Amino acid sequence: MSRNPENREQFRPENHDSDHFLLTTVVGSYPKPKWLNRARDHFEDDDHPFGESEWEEATDDACRVITHEHERAGLDTVVDGEMRREEMVEFFAERIDGYEFNGPVKVWGHNYFDKPSVVEGVEYDEPWLVDEFEFVDDVASRPVKVPITGPYTLANWAFNEAYDDDEALAYDLADLVNEEIEKLVEAGARYIQIDEPALATTPDDHAIVGECLERIVSDIDDEVRIGLHVCYGDYSRVYPEINEYPIDEFDVELCNDDYEQIETFADGEFAPDLALGVVDAHVAEVESVEEIKENIKQGLKVVPPEKLTVSPDCGLKLLPREAAYGKMENLVQAAREVEAELDAGEIDVPAVESVAPADD
């Protein structure tokens, strides 16, 4: 279902030149400045005089730099590139009562992940992201999107030593995510992205994710835009079930496989808005504006222009920073050119109808 097909209009810039509007955004992570990584090394070195106040100043500066970099690229909604976060599960597990860390585990090749354990019932203590959002919102001149790791991934990517099963853990975590989003909304947030990469690896649990989302959006005003990001995987195993999810936008990674799965969604029944990855987060080569325009048109096979959001496939943190910026800059330029061509009737839009939101 679509919670509110009208809530994307709040992100249209006041001086937007075209009648059509393709919302441009980023998924979340972005390459950190090299000096921030050096600063972290100093901060984590017990023998170095680089202290807490210096580290806080460094991260604040990095958040300002990357937020402004997103704005300079022309994005309609921005984030700070998750400059304060290192890993999408660890960051939240450190802030949720009930988790503890016992050292890194090997996940693939020579890569290690500090996989946490849930050792007792999870509880909400202090806000996780409110300070981060308020800082970025003060820095930015454009609307800010808040990415937050979803409860299913927070449960699935941890050792469960306290609950009978991961489903019960995920539901408790969903209630905590709902509490956090309520606080973010009180602080002024209007665009929340729930990241659930674990769904791609265990797609048979789509009903659990659906129930988590129901809990997450409980009592959240439908003027607040709720997106769901699921990267990689076989989307045919979660579609059309995602049509029943209480979200405004479904964000998918399709550029990396040359849109082989686009037909999965092109049945005329796709209910939420589509956030389509149009640049590849896995390669440093910067796609040309013309190439990205053709990628954007893939989304028009699924939804009409008023339901299409344009983004990278996934977070860009593993790319060289100049490549990440080049992709964002070309993505925005391509979206603006497609809008102008739509206005001029130069693009044939397939007969895709907007699916009305389901009754509550």
Side-chain angles (χ1 to χ4, degrees):
M1 70 188 74
S2 178
R3 295 176 71 245
N4 179 2
E6 304 300 325
N7 66 22
R8 76 193 300 274
E9 276 299 302
Q10 65 188 298
F11 306 111
R12 180 194 287 264
E14 292 183 5
N15 59 349
H16 195 63
D17 292 334
S18 301
D19 292 333
H20 283 88
F21 173 52
L22 303 177
L23 176 61
T24 61
T25 189
V26 282
V27 172
S29 70
Y30 195 78
K32 290 179 169 61
K34 293 182 177 66
W35 51 261
L36 184 64
N37 294 326
R38 288 288 303 276
R40 176 178 286 277
D41 291 341
H42 293 329
F43 179 58
E44 293 177 348
D45 182 353
D46 292 337
D47 295 327
H48 200 285
F50 195 91
E52 185 75 40
S53 62
E54 288 87 354
W55 173 242
E56 183 176 346
E57 180 178 341
T59 51
D60 283 354
D61 286 347
C63 290
R64 291 187 185 95
V65 166
I66 300 306
T67 300
H68 290 154
E69 195 159 301
H70 285 169
E71 292 187 325
R72 191 166 68 253
L75 292 163
D76 299 310
T77 64
V78 301
V79 301
D80 68 351
E82 300 180 0
M83 293 294 107
R84 304 182 196 277
R85 313 185 200 181
E86 284 300 306
E87 201 282 330
M88 66 183 305
V89 172
E90 291 175 22
F91 178 87
F92 293 97
E94 289 171 348
R95 289 158 174 78
I96 299 173
D97 289 348
Y99 281 87
E100 69 175 28
F101 291 87
N102 297 297
V105 297
K106 191 173 185 178
V107 287
W108 72 86
H110 297 288
N111 294 286
Y112 287 81
F113 162 48
D114 201 5
K115 186 172 181 177
S117 298
V118 178
V119 296
E120 58 186 12
V122 293
E123 294 183 1
Y124 189 92
D125 185 14
E126 297 294 326
W128 313 333
L129 298 171
V130 172
D131 287 348
E132 175 186 293
F133 166 75
E134 290 180 334
F135 183 90
V136 180
D137 193 47
D138 184 59
V139 167
S141 61
R142 302 189 181 204
V144 174
K145 180 167 78 171
V146 183
I148 180 170
T149 303
Y152 180 76
T153 297
L154 289 172
N156 193 263
W157 289 3
F159 296 113
N160 178 7
E161 301 175 7
Y163 286 78
D164 291 338
D165 52 45
D166 286 354
E167 180 176 357
L169 171 57
Y171 292 157
D172 273 5
L173 286 164
D175 292 338
L176 305 192
V177 173
N178 168 261
E179 191 169 351
E180 175 67 13
I181 291 177
E182 286 183 344
K183 288 181 169 53
L184 285 164
V185 171
E186 289 174 5
R190 291 295 178 270
Y191 194 175
I192 309 290
Q193 175 184 286
I194 310 298
D195 293 325
E196 289 288 15
L199 177 59
T201 59
T202 51
D204 293 339
D205 283 351
H206 55 73
I208 297 174
V209 174
E211 173 60 26
C212 285
L213 289 165
E214 293 285 354
R215 292 170 180 248
I216 286 170
V217 304
S218 177
D219 299 324
I220 302 299
D221 193 286
D222 67 9
E223 287 300 311
V224 177
R225 187 168 182 81
I226 302 291
L228 174 67
H229 174 65
V230 180
C231 47
Y232 56 83
D234 181 356
Y235 292 111
S236 69
R237 296 181 66 185
V238 297
Y239 184 79
E241 286 79 6
I242 64 101
N243 279 343
E244 301 303 315
Y245 287 178
I247 57 176
D248 298 298
E249 179 180 89
F250 187 51
D251 190 307
V252 293
E253 176 182 335
L254 295 181
C255 183
N256 182 248
D257 69 355
D258 294 325
Y259 301 96
E260 289 183 3
Q261 296 189 69
I262 195 71
E263 297 300 329
T264 297
F265 305 114
D267 61 357
E269 299 296 325
F270 191 82
D273 288 2
L274 175 66
L276 182 68
V278 297
V279 295
D280 193 340
H282 303 282
V283 298
E285 180 182 355
V286 176
E287 296 87 347
S288 69
V289 170
E290 288 303 316
E291 182 180 353
I292 297 171
K293 286 169 66 176
E294 292 306 309
N295 294 345
I296 291 172
K297 292 173 188 177
Q298 293 281 346
L300 298 176
K301 297 177 181 179
V302 179
V303 293
E306 64 269 17
K307 289 174 62 66
L308 184 59
T309 297
V310 179
S311 71
D313 258 354
C314 201
L316 300 175
K317 68 177 182 180
L318 298 180
L319 293 178
R321 187 168 152 205
E322 61 274 15
Y325 180 77
K327 287 172 182 279
M328 295 301 90
E329 189 174 45
N330 284 3
L331 178 154
V332 171
Q333 181 64 30
R336 303 292 88 104
E337 289 187 15
V338 169
E339 290 169 346
E341 291 169 15
L342 285 165
D343 283 1
E346 297 171 0
I347 295 176
D348 291 330
V349 179
V352 177
E353 298 294 334
S354 298
V355 177
D359 293 334
D360 292 335

